[in-house]
Structures are given as C-alpha cells and as structure tokens.
Amino acid sequence: MLPAARLSLPLPRDARAKRICQALLDNPADDRSLAEWGRVVGASSRTLARLFVRDTGMGFGAWAQTMRLSLSLDRLALGEPVTRIALELGYATPSAFGAMFRRVLGTSPHRYMSVTQQHLS
C-alpha cells in the first residue's frame, strides 16, 4: 500500500465557521459539539451545519475527523509515537485512533509508518 496523499481540508468562507476551524486546528483535541461551538461564535448548530456542508462539502464531524487524520499523517511522518498522537488529537485511547485510521485508510498507523519510511528510503 502506498502512503496516502495529502488530505484535502477545505476551510469555510463564513467567518463563524472559519473561527471554529482555526480553534480546532490550534487544539485538535477540543471535542465540543456544533451546538457548543454555536454558542461561542453566535450561530445556531443548524446554521453552522449548513455552512460546513456549503463551504467544505462535508459535515462538521467529517471535517473534524479529516482534520485530525491529516494532522496525524504529518506527525506519523515525523516519527512521533502513535499513543502520543492519538491522545493529543483527542482520541480516548490509541485503539480508538487506530480503528478510525484503519477504517479511513485501510491500514494501521504502525503499518502506514513503516510503508511511508520504506518509500522515503
């Protein structure tokens, strides 16, 4: 299996949604719901949900997962330990992170790291 290409992570145009994205990029472990974010940025969760789909082509949850996965790929490429990556990105356990990783990319984080290292050599 080849290393995954850089994931596309479009940012919304709307200032409120963009503010949420920036906060999550700064602290990817933040697990606030869209309703909680709505109170922070002054919009309803329904409005924010529509904005995410309109501006990014994906729902808020999918955007957040893609963001965390993209950050994890960068960190795996740097050789950071999977446990640290998982916990710092907000996953309850490394196995929860591994399950998401396998579901999306079809391989484990460890296997991804070894294949990536082989391609860099």
Side-chain angles (χ1 to χ4, degrees):
M1 168 180 282
L2 294 174
R6 185 101 172 110
L7 298 174
S8 174
L9 189 66
L11 292 174
R13 295 181 310 247
D14 181 84
R16 297 163 295 183
K18 198 180 290 187
R19 192 169 146 205
I20 294 167
C21 293
Q22 188 57 59
L24 287 170
L25 287 165
D26 291 343
N27 179 15
D30 192 325
D31 66 350
R32 283 183 263 192
S33 69
L34 205 48
E36 291 169 312
W37 280 113
R39 288 189 286 279
V40 172
V41 300
S44 73
S45 61
R46 287 181 56 170
T47 295
L48 291 171
R50 281 192 302 272
L51 291 170
F52 266 91
V53 171
R54 182 195 76 192
D55 291 355
T56 70
M58 59 184 92
F60 172 71
W63 187 92
Q65 178 179 301
T66 302
M67 177 267 307
R68 290 182 181 105
L69 184 59
S70 180
L71 292 174
S72 76
L73 294 175
D74 292 342
R75 295 174 71 174
L76 285 168
L78 294 172
E80 290 187 33
V82 172
T83 298
R84 181 185 330 149
I85 294 169
L87 298 176
E88 289 180 0
L89 292 182
Y91 290 89
T93 64
S95 61
F97 168 69
M100 177 281 302
F101 199 97
R102 276 188 298 282
R103 187 177 65 254
V104 175
L105 295 180
T107 190
S108 72
H110 290 340
R111 178 76 180 127
Y112 178 86
M113 281 182 7
S114 68
V115 170
T116 300
Q117 292 305 317
Q118 289 173 6
H119 286 263
L120 294 176
S121 306

